[in-house]
């Protein structure tokens, strides 16, 4: 087999870093584990990329794909339907909160986010508010890489190469309570402040120019920022007051990741749109969706009305069949209930790591955690650029992997280790994660 670097251009990868060494090549998965080409086993601490929620090696999902491909491999959803898309759309709308009953399929998360922004703009044009087009989102949040989604993304490091982006992406503070610039001792006041920052941004921009607010239930990038108490309640009030759509970007946070089918349900808020992807098929086929409220579809139901948007593979029959089979697994094994029953154990196992001097914060919910690393626990001082380079990129990712744990050492915000195992994981996997992290983080500290 040719070397992985000869022709394969990997995503978000410093290709040169592999010029001297082998690219880790994963060939097989079973349950919460994957194996590389040399036969070494790794605990999949990130469910691939927050994707493989039902776990690896589910032959029934592979069989569902094969059966559908044999029956009808492809037909577009452009003026025609196929049964798996119809059934899946119905199943999804039975699980969503409130009147989120209109399912627009895509092939992934960026396309779902892109579709949501386009729908927000097109909707306001149809209801007589054509100047509403901007989008509010949070610093360091990741919402995808297509030009619209990238504009919504709050990570300068992955944007500057591609500027100018789509205009109208407005940024507000995120809910990183560990580094709260205000109200650091009071989560309720902090949540109120962070939500009110959205109102202030809308005021500053002009309410008649703002179409939507895009928020993840738990912000992934930066290392799992859960919403402070009252945050989403206040955001909903603000969105209602200014007639701005609330988009819950649940590309990661749906399908059991937070112990509910949707993150909005976990935190008790009603979005106007949910964007999702990843775990909807547990990764056995690519699929995403933008799920809109009945109200948002209404202006498109006139005789000549249409949402002039689509992608060839959106709602691919094979992906829809796989998603249906995946949701069967979810129901039969009560994976969502399993997360709820075990999330406390996951949290308390990870919290044991607090005794390490390098561990500043352990935060998250469900099966979705970030561990922030610090240079000084008392002052919360973080690492400078050179230390981050040495510690995270130079040592941690590889050392964790070599020790048998695939997860992510991320420094798009402050340095964090991110964990999101398949939802079938239990105490044995939590202990394995804790032990590997303990060994490797202790070694990292001694190298500082
Ligand atoms: C919250 C969120 N939105 C959007 C995306 C983009 O999804 P995709 O990579 O499927 O395009 C991601 C990907 O990680 C995400 O986490």
């Amino acid at each position: 087999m040719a070397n992985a670097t000869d022709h394969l251009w990997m995503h978000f990868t410093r290709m040169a870093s592999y010029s001297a060494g082998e690219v880790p090549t994963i060939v097989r998965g079973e349950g919460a584990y994957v194996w590389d080409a040399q036969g070494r086993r790794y605990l999949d601490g990130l469910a691939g990329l927050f994707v493989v929620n039902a776990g690896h090696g589910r032959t029934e999902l592979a069989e569902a794909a094969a059966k559908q491909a044999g029956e009808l491999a492809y037909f577009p959803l452009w003026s025609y339907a196929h049964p798996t898309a119809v059934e899946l759309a119905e199943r999804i709308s039975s699980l969503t909160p409130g009147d989120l009953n209109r399912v627009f399929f895509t092939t992934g998360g960026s396309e779902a986010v892109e579709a949501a922004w386009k729908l927000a703009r097109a909707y306001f044009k149809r209801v007589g508010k054509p100047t509403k087009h901007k989008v509010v989102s949070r610093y360091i949040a990741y919402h995808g890489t297509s030009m619209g989604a990238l504009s919504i993304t709050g990570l300068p490091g992955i944007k500057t190469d591609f500027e100018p982006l789509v205009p109208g992406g407005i940024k507000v503070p995120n809910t990183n309570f560990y580094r709260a610039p205000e109200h650091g001792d009071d989560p309720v006041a902090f949540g109120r402040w962070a939500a009110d920052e959205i109102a202030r941004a809308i005021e500053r921009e002009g309410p008649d120019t703002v179409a939507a607010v895009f928020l993840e239930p738990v912000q992934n990038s930066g290392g799992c920022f859960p919403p402070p108490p009252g945050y989403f309640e206040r955001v909903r009030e603000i969105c209602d007051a200014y007639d701005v759509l609330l988009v819950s970007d649940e590309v990661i946070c749906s399908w059991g990741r937070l112990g509910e089918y949707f993150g909005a349900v976990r935190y008790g808020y009603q979005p106007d749109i949910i964007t999702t992807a990843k775990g909807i098929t547990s990764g056995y086929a690519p699929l995403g969706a933008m799920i809109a409220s009945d109200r948002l579809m209404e202006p498109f139901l006139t005789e000549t009305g249409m949402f002039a948007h689509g992608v060839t593979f959106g709602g691919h029959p094979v992906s829809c069949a796989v998603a249906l089979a995946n949701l069967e697994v979810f129901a039969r094994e009560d994976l969502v209930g399993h997360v709820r029953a075990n999330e406390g154990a996951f949290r308390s196992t990870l919290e044991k790591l607090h005794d390490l001097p390098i561990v500043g914060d352990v935060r998250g919910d469900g099966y979705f955690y970030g561990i922030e690393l610090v240079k000084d626990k008392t002052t919360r001082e973080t690492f400078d650029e050179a230390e981050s380079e040495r510690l995270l990129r130079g040592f941690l990712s590889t050392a964790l992997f070599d020790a048998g744990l695939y997860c992510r050492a991320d420094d798009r915000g402050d340095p964090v280790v991110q964990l999101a195992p398949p939802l079938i994981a239990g105490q044995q996997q939590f202990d394995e994660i804790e032990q590997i992290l303990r060994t490797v983080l202790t070694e990292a500290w001694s190298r500082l």
Side-chain angles (χ1 to χ4, degrees), residues 49-50 108-111 113 142-145 216 220 249-252 277-278:
L49 199 55
F50 315 98
S110 299
E111 281 177 6
V113 167
Y142 181 87
H143 292 282
T145 48
E216 291 165 271
N220 168 48
D249 185 357
E250 308 208 4
V251 168
I252 292 176
K278 295 192 185 262

Side-chain angles (χ1 to χ4, degrees), residues 44 46-52 252 278 406 408:
D44 182 358
L46 206 62
L49 199 55
F50 315 98
V51 166
V52 191
I252 292 176
K278 295 192 185 262
Y406 164 73
R408 188 188 223 180

Side-chain angles (χ1 to χ4, degrees), residues 32-270:
Y33 297 89
V34 292
W35 282 260
D36 70 10
Q38 282 73 40
R40 281 186 296 253
R41 189 184 87 155
Y42 304 88
L43 174 55
D44 182 358
L46 206 62
L49 199 55
F50 315 98
V51 166
V52 191
N53 288 10
H56 296 274
R58 298 266 190 187
T59 49
E60 71 180 277
L61 301 192
E63 281 156 12
K67 183 165 175 285
Q68 180 60 47
E71 222 164 83
L72 175 71
Y74 176 73
F75 215 75
L77 291 177
W78 302 37
S79 301
Y80 295 83
H82 50 75
T84 51
V86 176
E87 192 182 337
L88 181 61
E90 185 191 12
R91 179 79 63 87
I92 290 172
S93 49
S94 75
L95 298 170
T96 50
D99 70 339
L100 294 182
N101 293 321
R102 307 299 186 154
V103 183
F104 184 94
F105 287 117
T106 64
T107 67
S110 299
E111 281 177 6
V113 167
E114 205 74 33
W117 192 1
K118 288 181 81 171
L119 176 63
R121 287 179 169 208
Y123 168 79
F124 281 119
K125 282 201 164 60
R126 274 161 183 71
V127 297
K129 298 186 175 180
T131 56
K132 273 174 140 353
H133 68 283
K134 295 177 191 167
V135 161
V136 177
S137 59
R138 299 184 288 199
Y139 292 122
I140 324 179
Y142 181 87
H143 292 282
T145 48
S146 53
M147 291 304 257
L150 193 58
S151 267
I152 301 174
T153 289
L155 290 158
I158 63 166
K159 297 171 72 164
T160 43
D161 266 353
F162 311 107
E163 284 169 345
L165 298 174
V166 180
I170 314 304
K171 300 297 169 287
V172 294
N174 56 49
T175 59
N176 183 353
F177 186 57
Y178 184 65
R179 300 202 173 275
E182 310 226 357
H183 310 293
D185 53 353
D186 180 350
V188 174
F190 172 65
R192 176 80 186 196
W193 169 82
D196 283 346
E197 282 294 302
I198 294 173
R200 283 187 275 274
I202 294 171
E203 282 289 354
R204 220 170 26 244
E205 294 295 322
D208 57 349
T209 69
V210 181
V213 177
F214 278 67
L215 305 170
E216 291 165 271
V218 171
Q219 182 177 320
N220 168 48
S221 195
C224 279
F225 307 141
Y231 177 76
F232 274 111
E233 201 180 331
R234 179 69 187 137
V235 171
R236 182 70 263 182
E237 280 173 12
I238 292 164
C239 287
D240 288 343
Y242 291 107
D243 196 11
V244 165
L245 304 182
L246 174 54
V247 182
S248 193
D249 185 357
E250 308 208 4
V251 168
I252 292 176
C253 291
S254 44
W255 314 116
R257 180 57 54 203
L258 297 174
E260 294 286 351
Y261 278 100
F262 292 98
V265 174
R266 161 118 198 187
Y267 299 117
Y269 65 94
Q270 181 60 47

Side-chain angles (χ1 to χ4, degrees), residues 328-349:
E328 280 303 310
V329 171
F330 266 67
R332 193 174 66 231
E333 299 182 12
D334 189 19
L335 288 182
V336 170
H338 177 79
V339 172
R340 271 201 306 274
N342 289 280
E343 64 172 335
F346 189 34
R347 177 188 290 273
S348 54
T349 307

